[in-house]
Amino acid sequence: GAGVSQSPSNKVTEKGKDVELRCDPISGHTALYWYRQSLGQGLEFLIYFQGNSAPDKSGLPSDRFSAERTGGSVSTLTIQRTQQEDSAVYLCASSPDRANSPLHFGNGTRLTVT
Amino acid sequence: RKEVEQDPGPFNVPEGATVAFNCTYSNSASQSFFWYRQDCRKEPKLLMSVYSSGNEDGRFTAQLNRASQYISLLIRDSKLSDSATYLCVVFTGAGSYQLTFGKGTKLSVIP
């Protein structure tokens, strides 16, 4: 079946511009996570959504970052006024409606801010 | 103590060798554990779950030691294709969606 789909796969933007990254989770998965990974570094948690519950936004690094999940499916991560330090791979993952379930990752969006 | 800790490596081993990685966790209430594999510039992929009784999948064996709060991954008969970074994942508490990734252990299998 289809896995987690992310778009675009690559995005180059100028400093100060806004960007939107999209994640389409596996059908039926209620939990959705966003992470980012800088080159050679570990995964940094950003935000997660679980069903209709309020999202856990505790990992968002600044108020320039926001995310939404419409209809419990597709999610969009928005970064406003991008900075060079935002350059990283942004990974989305989803998991089924069972706690302690493993995550399934998309291919990621490689963001480069010039 | 960090929530989840791994030796970053790199572990450089010859083909055919056996290699083991450990991952320690700080929260004694942690319930579920997994190993992921991440190839260079790729997304993490689930390698295997870690069960209390230990589990094996071909050349890979995962074990959990609750008393000492660590999980381990053993790779036997290493292949060149095993070269990757191995991440441990720990879920915090029962019925939880809260999880923590280790920073990964890099393995290089050398011809």
Side-chain angles (χ1 to χ4, degrees), chain A residues 33-104:
Chain A
Y33 301 75
W34 282 99
Y35 287 85
R36 75 175 174 182
Q37 188 172 33
S38 300
L39 190 63
Q41 301 299 308
L43 293 169
E44 177 187 2
F45 167 75
L46 297 177
I47 186 170
Y48 94 81
F49 299 88
Q50 172 50 39
N52 295 321
S53 302
D56 177 351
K57 303 180 181 181
S58 60
L60 294 178
S62 78
D63 59 8
R64 296 185 296 104
F65 288 72
S66 63
E68 62 178 20
R69 189 179 184 193
T70 53
S73 182
V74 172
S75 176
T76 303
L77 176 68
T78 301
I79 308 173
Q80 296 178 309
R81 305 181 302 281
T82 52
Q83 304 294 311
Q84 287 186 329
E85 61 263 28
D86 299 335
S87 296
V89 175
Y90 289 80
L91 291 160
C92 175
S94 68
S95 72
D97 185 18
R98 298 190 303 276
N100 298 310
S101 296
L103 275 57
H104 301 266

Side-chain angles (χ1 to χ4, degrees), chain B residues 21 37 47-48 55-62 73-76 79 81-82 86 107:
Chain B
F21 312 131
R37 169 197 171 121
L47 180 63
M48 59 196 305
N55 49 299
E56 189 173 309
D57 183 2
R59 298 181 294 107
F60 297 82
T61 300
L73 177 67
L74 181 78
I75 306 175
R76 290 180 298 277
K79 312 291 186 190
S81 57
D82 294 334
Y86 291 84
L107 171 66

Side-chain angles (χ1 to χ4, degrees), chain B residues 40-59:
Chain B
C40 188
R41 300 174 74 85
K42 297 286 189 182
E43 76 277 15
K45 292 187 177 177
L46 179 65
L47 180 63
M48 59 196 305
S49 305
V50 186
Y51 302 123
S52 297
S53 55
N55 49 299
E56 189 173 309
D57 183 2
R59 298 181 294 107

